[in-house]
Amino acid sequence: MAVKWIEALTGSLEQKKQYKATKARMDALPQPYGEAASALHRYFMYYGGITDGDTLMQMFVDLVDLWERAAVDGTPVSAIVGDDTIEFAETFAQSYGGKRWIDKERQRLIDAIDDAKREEQGS
C-alpha cells in the first residue's frame, strides 16, 4: 500500500530501478562509446521531451544496447552517428512515438485558439 502511495507522488519505482541499471551500463562502456552514449543521453533529456516513462526507458535501453554492440564489434563512433550528429540523435529520438510535452502544449494552443474563435463569432 505504501508503494502505491509513493509511486503516485514520484512515479514508478520499477522504472527508477531500470533507469539506474541502464545508466550503470552506460557508465561501464569503454571509451569512446561511453562518452558518445552519455552525450546522446544528455541530449535526449533536453530534446526528447517524452513524458511516457515506458517509452523513455525503452529509448534509453536501446541506446545502451546500441553502444554496447558497437563496443563489442569495434564499430567506429562515426559509423554509428554518420556525418550529422544532430540528425542521428533526433531521428533516433523520433522513432519512439511516446507522448511528448510539446503534444500537450500543442493541444492546449489549439483549444485556446478555437475558444477565441468561438468567442469572436458569438459576439
Side-chain angles (χ1 to χ4, degrees):
M1 181 168 171
V3 171
K4 286 185 179 183
W5 184 80
I6 292 170
E7 285 185 338
L9 294 174
T10 65
S12 169
L13 295 177
E14 186 58 39
Q15 286 177 348
K16 288 178 180 19
K17 289 178 189 174
Q18 189 178 12
Y19 177 81
K20 286 181 180 179
T22 304
K23 191 76 171 93
R25 288 174 53 202
M26 188 178 308
D27 292 343
L29 283 167
Q31 296 306 327
Y33 305 103
E35 183 177 349
S38 293
L40 285 162
H41 178 270
R42 184 176 50 250
Y43 188 77
F44 294 151
M45 296 301 283
Y46 290 103
Y47 173 77
I50 296 172
T51 58
D52 174 33
D54 291 333
T55 303
L56 187 63
M57 279 311 310
Q58 187 60 54
M59 185 171 74
F60 288 148
V61 167
D62 290 348
L63 177 69
V64 172
D65 288 346
L66 171 71
W67 290 105
E68 284 177 341
R69 186 79 246 161
V72 168
D73 294 343
T75 307
V77 171
S78 60
I80 302 291
V81 300
D83 292 333
D84 189 340
T85 304
I86 300 302
E87 181 181 352
F88 170 80
E90 293 180 1
T91 300
F92 186 92
Q94 288 171 358
S95 65
Y96 296 88
K99 285 188 176 181
R100 299 173 189 270
W101 66 268
I102 196 67
D103 297 334
K104 183 178 177 182
E105 292 306 315
R106 284 179 179 143
Q107 190 59 52
R108 186 178 290 174
L109 174 62
I110 290 168
D111 292 345
I113 296 300
D114 287 347
D115 288 347
K117 288 178 182 174
R118 277 192 293 275
E119 189 173 311
E120 185 177 60
Q121 292 171 351
S123 58

